[in-house]
Amino acid sequence: MIQPIFDKYCLSCHGPEKSKGKLRLDTLEHFLKGGEAGSLIDPPGATQSLLGKRLGLPLDDEEHMPPE
């Protein structure tokens, strides 16, 4: 269900050809592995996880994802 969202907004920077922060989101295995900043979903929970925190940052924060 969420893979199309990653395909559209994330894979240009976090895919097999380019993996910023050593993070790839093109397969479940890579997603679960995480990147330089660690796991995207540990600790679990929408707002506590790295993924939740990056998505919830203000749009003008340079750490907000996706950047555009």
Side-chain angles (χ1 to χ4, degrees), residues 21-64:
K22 296 186 179 178
L23 175 63
R24 286 180 56 183
L25 299 173
D26 56 312
T27 69
L28 179 59
E29 179 182 358
H30 286 111
F31 177 87
L32 294 174
K33 181 179 176 185
E36 287 179 345
S39 173
L40 293 179
I41 55 173
D42 187 29
T47 58
Q48 290 80 28
S49 69
L50 180 60
L51 180 63
K53 287 179 181 178
R54 292 285 175 95
L55 292 172
L57 288 170
L59 294 175
D60 61 348
D61 190 303
E62 66 180 52
E63 297 292 320
H64 178 270

Side-chain angles (χ1 to χ4, degrees), residues 8-27:
K8 183 175 180 178
Y9 295 104
C10 308
L11 291 187
S12 62
C13 292
H14 301 289
E17 295 172 19
K18 182 178 181 183
S19 54
K20 283 187 159 185
K22 296 186 179 178
L23 175 63
R24 286 180 56 183
L25 299 173
D26 56 312
T27 69

